[in-house]
Amino acid sequence: SPGARSSSSSSLRSARRCEHPGSPLVASSMRTRSRRAAVSLLGLIGGAHATSLSHFRTPVFAAAGARRCMQRSFRAAAPAEAAAPPAAGASKGGVAYDLAIEAKWQAHWEAHRTFATRRREGKQKKYVLDMFPYPSGAGLHVGHPEGYTASDIMARYWRMRDYDVLHPMGWDSFGLPAEQHAMNTGTHPEVTTKENIANFKRQLRSLGFSYDWERELATTDVGYVKWTQWIFLKLFEQGLAFQDEKPVNWCAGLGTVLANEEIIDGLSERGGFPVERKPLRQWVLKITALADRLAAELDGLDWPEGTMTMQRSWIGRSEGAEIAFATEGGGEDVRVFTTRADTLMGATYVVVAPEHPLARRVGESDSAVAKYIAETASKSDLDRTSAKAKSGVPAGESVVHPLTGERLPVWVADYVIGSYGTGAVMAVPAHDERDFDFAAAHGLPVKRVVAEPDGAAEALEEAFTEHGVAVNSGPLVDGLATPEAKAKVVELLAEAGRGSAKVSYKLRDWVFSRQRYWGEPIPIYFPVTTDGDPRKGDAYSIDYSQPLPVPEEELPVALPELEDFQPGDDPQGCLARVLDWRFFQRDGKWWARETNTMPQWAGSCWYYLRFADPANTQQAWSAEAEKAWLPVDLYVGGAEHAVLHLLYARFWHKVLHSLGLVSTAEPFQKLVHQGMILGADGEKMSKSRGNVINPDDIVSAYGADAMRLYEMFMGPLEAVKPWQTEQIAGVVRFQNRVHALATRADGSAELGDETERLMHQTIKKVTADVDALSFNTAISQMMIFSNHLAGLKQLPAEPVEKLALLVSPLAPHLGEEAWQMLGHEQSLAYEPWPEYDEAKCVETDVVMAVQVNGKVRAEIKIAKDAAEAEARELAAASENVQKFLDGKEVKKFIYVPGRIINFVAK
């Protein structure tokens, strides 16, 4: 702004100090300077951003009320230009910045294949990857490009640092929404998916991202499906893909199995269809076989600590004991896993889940148990475990305590989940909160077997779950501390042949089947027994106990064409109705294809590998390509994928590593989660709230660079922050200012000392900030530098060239245009990143407060190593200091270079 251009150099230094709120100079400055000076400081960046100090503080956004309070406090005195946003193409002192340059440079990059991936011998590489999107019908909203912008900045930056960069984009294009749309409209999911991809790609291209579009892929591509199926067969060969009958959340309305998180109050989150628990033949991936590696090998990764904690918690490694309780009728033992074997003597009953074989057997003859099992079928696991009231019914049977021989009643209760552990627990109400609540509700006995560490064993009003000393557990165990008591009880169980030590995990094996159309067919087939032709409706029997892999040379197994995508009542899915596809003959025998398809997770488990070698028709990837690019050096995506996607991808990668198909143990070395961008109302963007902002509208009004700059300037990348369109004006002003500087640069103008120093300081800070992904403070520093340059009467070309290079990763169209205006014919995409000279970053002058009797009366600019005599002379020459010294005798002069000037006078 004009006011900023006339600001003194001391104001510029004050602006720099404000980036570091811990500095005592900031506190001093904000206490002693007037409100007018503070507003002048904010005017340096111009625009609506001038209403807040937050960007000089590397902010994490505070509560909305505090933010509004700060904005109100500065708005009244903010520079006049902040009141109304400028036209996007407005400019001061030069040729107007025309948004048409963005289309110009996008066309140039495409025509010249500027971002085609190259791999040069002897050069270091950077693999920069976004979590690729599901192409929904709604297209992008302004929150989506935040992570894409951050990764693009790093890809452009690393190219300028002479790294070979792989920066691809593709589409996670299988998924239930497209199939649901097909059910509702009759439009084939492939048609919908291709239309959505075209729209997403148009939007991403409009933002100037430097993707190598020649490597674009979609998980629905037949060539990609082939290799997804090939990896499944590798899992099958290793015994890590197998069939099992699992209790699942079956939604007939959607024709598929749902995760617990996809169910709300017994209904599907999508569509609101009823959900029931039922056993179903499923393909399962044995992810638990690698549980230890998945937890241990997180060490050494550069991931957010919270994400690693979530992964470890999800895996949930526990050391304990498996204990066998004999049933009175002589049937199969009821087995339980416990981490507190020391409490075995306090077990007063046993609980089995409604899905447990014992419960189902009893339910065949006990109507109360049968009714309870039926009622439980509509509840999700989450509803069951979170319910405060603990429901249950007696099974009418007993089991035998493995050490005492005591008869313990068996109950059926839904707070025990059939798919967790063994589906049964030994209930120790004295030392488990859920068991205590259940016992209280149903009048069951409570027996204390663990005393306080000091030996106190008073009656319990609630479960005592801490470690302590064993009591009431027999002479061999009583008096032992909890760890020793655990070991002793396991020893006694082993001697009795009723138990042993065991490691267990919260992690469950991955149910991999989906009973839907729009997914990768599972490449397995089964023998069929028939006296006729099952394709014509003749009776048949499929032997699911003999799964056979489709030969590799017959891959891919493609989806058949369908017109009716409704799931129907058959849990085998709609593919079971396509008889000509499902059944085939070979060597005179009939066979049936698997009609389950893979989940959407499948394609996203390995796409990072295919990007390394996407045109290879003979292999999923070559060893040379994998070694050239893996692991991913920077992986950017939302925290909502902190567990499942990352865990599943790591599992596949580790299997491939054990087979020698990849050379690295981990796929993603550094992980960054961008923060969510909320609507202007502070809520998550959604159609139902009416707060979604379409990036097309922002790009049309302000340009792609302005949107990129604004999203990076809003705050730290990882922070949650609200979108405020009116604040884009601040970065538009900055963009216009940089463009104007390029029109004014004079190659014959001399580079002054202050400009040279600020140039090197800016290069140093922007480099450090970009390395740290602190893009908001990098932009702040460039704003300060551009304001300084705008205030020069004679503008040298060198600092403007450096600024064009520095800004180009964040605002690439602006950088390219400025570079060309400065006389360069080639794109700056591979220009060397500016270097700084540490010696030239050092400030030779400082601004010091001059005190009289401890109160600040003036400020002076002085060499930071000035002699005391020089400092006294300059300080005493100040008119305001003279006023306070007039008629007084200076008793003492205190001078500490760069810190204190104080006259003590009487």
Side-chain angles (χ1 to χ4, degrees), residues 51-52 61-73 75 680-682 722 724:
T51 63
S52 172
F61 272 72
R67 182 174 60 252
R68 287 193 294 271
C69 179
M70 176 176 282
Q71 290 173 341
R72 284 195 298 268
S73 69
R75 189 173 291 124
D681 56 1
Q724 298 181 53

Side-chain angles (χ1 to χ4, degrees), residues 374-680:
E375 290 172 348
T376 304
S378 63
K379 297 180 182 179
S380 72
D381 291 352
L382 185 62
D383 291 337
R384 288 165 57 175
T385 55
S386 60
K388 292 184 178 179
K390 302 301 181 202
S391 66
V393 293
E397 293 196 7
S398 299
V399 294
V400 179
H401 193 289
L403 295 183
T404 67
E406 182 183 2
R407 295 174 67 247
L408 303 178
V410 177
W411 284 70
V412 180
D414 64 3
Y415 76 87
V416 178
I417 307 299
S419 58
Y420 291 0
T422 64
V425 299
M426 66 174 199
V428 185
H431 305 292
D432 181 274
E433 293 174 354
R434 295 184 308 164
D435 296 344
F436 186 92
D437 292 342
F438 189 88
H442 298 279
L444 295 166
V446 177
K447 179 182 177 182
R448 181 165 191 167
V449 292
V450 182
E452 303 277 355
D454 61 4
E458 300 174 357
L460 293 170
E461 296 183 0
E462 60 182 8
F464 176 71
T465 60
E466 304 299 322
H467 284 196
V469 177
V471 294
N472 303 321
S473 296
L476 297 177
V477 180
D478 281 350
L480 297 177
T482 296
E484 290 75 22
K486 287 182 182 182
K488 188 62 180 178
V489 170
V490 171
E491 179 187 325
L492 295 173
L493 286 166
E495 291 174 358
R498 304 306 296 168
S500 61
K502 185 177 180 180
V503 174
S504 183
Y505 302 91
K506 285 199 305 184
L507 179 67
R508 301 293 94 201
D509 284 331
W510 176 9
V511 177
F512 196 67
S513 298
R514 295 294 183 271
Q515 294 68 39
R516 65 184 192 214
Y517 172 75
W518 196 232
E520 301 92 339
I522 292 176
I524 295 292
Y525 63 102
F526 306 93
V528 175
T529 300
T530 181
D531 291 329
D533 186 341
R535 298 172 300 182
K536 297 179 180 179
D538 294 334
Y540 63 85
S541 174
I542 299 175
D543 186 356
Y544 289 111
S545 68
Q546 297 187 51
L548 297 168
V550 172
E552 185 176 325
E553 60 271 16
E554 295 182 16
L555 298 179
V557 177
L559 286 167
E561 290 296 326
L562 268 190
E563 293 182 2
D564 178 13
F565 303 98
Q566 300 299 325
D569 298 327
D570 188 348
Q572 295 302 319
C574 60
L575 289 177
R577 300 197 301 267
V578 190
L579 302 182
D580 287 342
W581 177 86
R582 185 183 192 187
F583 295 104
F584 64 95
Q585 280 185 302
R586 176 176 290 158
D587 300 328
K589 297 180 180 179
W590 282 100
W591 308 90
R593 297 189 192 280
E594 174 60 76
T595 57
N596 284 296
T597 55
M598 300 185 200
Q600 187 175 2
W601 302 108
S604 62
C605 276
W606 74 282
Y607 71 110
Y608 60 92
L609 284 163
R610 187 62 176 171
F611 275 138
D613 198 8
N616 194 332
T617 59
Q618 303 303 310
Q619 300 171 280
W621 60 86
S622 69
E624 295 77 17
E626 185 272 330
K627 289 177 181 177
W629 290 112
L630 269 288
V632 174
D633 297 286
L634 176 62
Y635 196 32
V636 180
E640 65 271 21
H641 300 298
V643 175
L644 294 184
H645 159 62
L646 292 169
L647 197 63
Y648 293 158
R650 293 180 64 228
F651 166 59
W652 278 35
H653 192 87
K654 290 184 184 303
V655 173
L656 296 170
H657 183 248
S658 68
L659 294 173
L661 296 171
V662 295
S663 60
T664 62
E666 288 286 340
F668 314 118
Q669 183 58 38
K670 180 178 178 65
L671 173 69
V672 172
H673 298 309
Q674 78 274 15
M676 185 180 294
I677 293 181
L678 306 176

